[in-house]
Amino acid sequence: MTDQILFACVDQCCFFKLSGELRYTNASGMDDLVERLFSAKIQCTELVVDLNQASFIDSTYIGLLAALARYAQQHQLAKPVLFCTVPAINELLLSLCFDQAFDLVQQSTDPDIDLTSVQAMPYSDQQKGQMILRAHEALIALNEQNKTQFQSVVDLLKQQLS
């Protein structure tokens, strides 16, 4: 399974299909999409994430997903829909209270849309650090439990980036 990000925006519905090992080392393309969403370069009124072909997801990617939920909340949109049939990933999402910010659906998808492959962005080490920090800040903003679990990571990242 290849690590890849596929994306489409059709009728202001943004569809993210994330496959393979989702680690901070290959997250720059997803981070760029999230940043374009927040800067209104992409117009979305509905967000859908497909993790059915993901084999692993780290806290940076979890934070990028949390940023999507924050976007939906800030724009008074419906909760993003997140499809995932991978038991270990569903367990992780539930342990981080993602069911409060997403509609979690445990079924496969077969979207009839043309998805475009999103390439990694050429981030410097500083930009990667900023991405990891933003992702973890979004993760701790979801709820108190996540804040307790990841605040020390955020504090360390801020210290290292200053």
Side-chain angles (χ1 to χ4, degrees), residues 52 82-87 90-91 94 103-108:
N52 282 317
L82 194 152
F83 290 92
C84 186
T85 56
V86 182
N90 282 327
E91 187 177 321
L94 288 170
D103 282 331
L104 300 179
V105 181
Q106 294 184 33
Q107 70 183 44
S108 58

Side-chain angles (χ1 to χ4, degrees), residues 41-61:
K41 292 179 182 166
I42 300 173
Q43 299 292 317
C44 287
T45 57
E46 188 177 358
L47 299 164
V48 178
V49 179
D50 182 349
L51 293 177
N52 282 317
Q53 296 188 359
S55 58
F56 175 84
I57 188 166
D58 73 4
S59 58
T60 297
Y61 254 99

Side-chain angles (χ1 to χ4, degrees), residues 58-68 98 134-139:
D58 73 4
S59 58
T60 297
Y61 254 99
I62 293 281
L64 291 170
L65 295 177
L68 293 178
F98 263 56
R134 282 191 308 273
H136 284 80
E137 286 174 333
L139 183 56

Side-chain angles (χ1 to χ4, degrees), residues 15-149:
F15 190 87
F16 303 81
K17 184 174 180 73
L18 309 175
S19 305
E21 291 193 8
L22 306 174
R23 298 180 184 272
Y24 77 94
T25 53
N26 61 11
S28 62
M30 182 66 179
D31 180 62
D32 182 61
L33 280 175
V34 171
E35 290 300 309
R36 290 192 298 159
L37 192 63
F38 273 96
S39 68
K41 292 179 182 166
I42 300 173
Q43 299 292 317
C44 287
T45 57
E46 188 177 358
L47 299 164
V48 178
V49 179
D50 182 349
L51 293 177
N52 282 317
Q53 296 188 359
S55 58
F56 175 84
I57 188 166
D58 73 4
S59 58
T60 297
Y61 254 99
I62 293 281
L64 291 170
L65 295 177
L68 293 178
R70 191 176 73 217
Y71 174 86
Q73 291 166 351
Q74 288 177 352
H75 291 84
Q76 285 106 31
L77 304 178
K79 286 181 183 179
V81 178
L82 194 152
F83 290 92
C84 186
T85 56
V86 182
I89 292 176
N90 282 327
E91 187 177 321
L92 176 63
L93 295 173
L94 288 170
S95 75
L96 295 171
C97 302
F98 263 56
D99 54 325
Q100 295 172 8
F102 286 85
D103 282 331
L104 300 179
V105 181
Q106 294 184 33
Q107 70 183 44
S108 58
T109 59
D110 188 19
D112 189 21
I113 54 176
D114 288 328
L115 296 163
T116 303
S117 182
V118 176
Q119 300 304 311
M121 302 303 293
Y123 279 14
S124 67
D125 287 345
Q126 181 74 14
Q127 288 171 309
K128 286 177 190 170
Q130 291 292 336
M131 171 190 69
I132 294 167
L133 175 61
R134 282 191 308 273
H136 284 80
E137 286 174 333
L139 183 56
I140 66 172
L142 270 186
N143 60 53
E144 268 313 302
Q145 177 184 327
N146 291 350
K147 185 173 184 176
T148 303
Q149 198 167 352

Side-chain angles (χ1 to χ4, degrees), residues 144-159:
E144 268 313 302
Q145 177 184 327
N146 291 350
K147 185 173 184 176
T148 303
Q149 198 167 352
F150 292 100
Q151 185 64 55
S152 60
V153 175
V154 168
D155 293 343
L156 181 61
L157 285 166
K158 283 182 178 179
Q159 182 182 7

